Amino acid sequence: MNNPFEGLMAFSDATKRWKLSDSTLRKAVSYGKLVEGIDCKKFGKQWIVTETAMIREYGEPKESN
């Protein structure tokens, strides 16, 4: 059985792995670089992003956590 949550991470985790500022991913959504509903989704106050979208837009992570 496939895990439906595999490859998903909070924006805070993604910013740490890719060494980005906190606002970078929110700006990426507002500019259309990350598409809400496809690349990312907001649940309450928490944003979730796919690892695939992060690699597509920012390359491989700077560190593997």
Side-chain angles (χ1 to χ4, degrees):
M1 181 175 176
N2 291 337
N3 181 349
F5 300 103
E6 187 172 336
L8 297 178
M9 65 186 79
F11 270 21
S12 58
D13 294 332
T15 58
K16 288 176 189 169
R17 282 187 67 191
W18 273 266
K19 295 188 178 180
L20 302 170
S21 70
D22 292 339
S23 64
T24 300
L25 296 184
R26 290 190 303 274
K27 287 179 183 176
V29 174
S30 67
Y31 296 150
K33 195 171 185 179
L34 295 174
V35 180
E36 187 172 359
I38 297 172
D39 299 321
C40 58
K41 179 82 173 143
K42 190 172 185 179
F43 295 94
K45 294 182 180 182
Q46 181 69 53
W47 280 94
I48 304 297
V49 65
T50 66
E51 184 175 27
T52 305
M54 290 298 297
I55 292 170
R56 181 190 74 226
E57 294 300 329
Y58 300 103
E60 291 295 323
K62 305 299 183 213
E63 62 181 37
S64 56
N65 267 355

